[in-house]
Amino acid sequence: MESFTEETLAAATKEIAAKVLKFQDFPKKGICFYDLFSLLHDPRQRSLVFGSMLYIIRRDFDGKFDAIAGLDSRGLALGLHLAEVLKVPFIAVSYTHLTLPTICSV
């Protein structure tokens, strides 16, 4: 993973924004769905996504957090890796308990 500065973060943000797949009017008219999974397939894009997120978390929170929480599938895919690198607990969060066979808690 490359080392990030404010300048490389700006360049990475532009590259990521250009590569993410966008679906207009999905799931309904007026909403644009951003497919983050399209970035995770390519090793370079994946590295830019995780590197950027780690840089921002370290810059803005300076270790002043207790855990990483990930919402549903994208949060699980992104958050679990971040929590591992940052050596903090990971909390999986679901929109509703109906998407899981039981209510899960920490």
Side-chain angles (χ1 to χ4, degrees):
M1 203 173 309
E2 66 184 79
S3 179
F4 279 83
T5 64
E6 289 299 317
E7 293 77 27
T8 57
L9 176 64
T13 301
K14 286 181 184 178
E15 185 175 333
I16 290 166
K19 298 279 185 171
V20 68
L21 292 179
K22 299 165 192 76
F23 298 90
Q24 293 293 334
D25 297 323
F26 182 83
K28 62 183 182 179
K29 189 167 177 60
I31 295 176
C32 181
F33 178 80
Y34 292 83
D35 180 16
L36 299 180
F37 281 145
S38 64
L39 297 171
L40 303 181
H41 175 73
D42 180 88
R44 171 162 170 71
Q45 296 304 312
R46 188 172 55 241
S47 180
L48 288 176
V49 169
F50 285 118
S52 298
M53 292 175 77
L54 283 169
Y55 177 80
I56 292 167
I57 290 168
R58 288 175 173 145
R59 179 194 69 194
D60 294 353
F61 296 99
D62 192 29
K64 296 179 181 87
F65 56 93
D66 299 318
I68 297 285
L71 180 62
D72 283 335
S73 62
R74 286 156 191 82
L76 178 62
L78 299 170
L80 189 58
H81 179 69
L82 292 171
E84 180 65 26
V85 171
L86 294 167
K87 304 294 184 221
V88 295
F90 176 74
I91 302 167
V93 180
S94 179
Y95 282 112
T96 169
H97 71 279
L98 297 176
T99 60
L100 299 172
T102 185
I103 295 176
C104 300
S105 63
V106 178

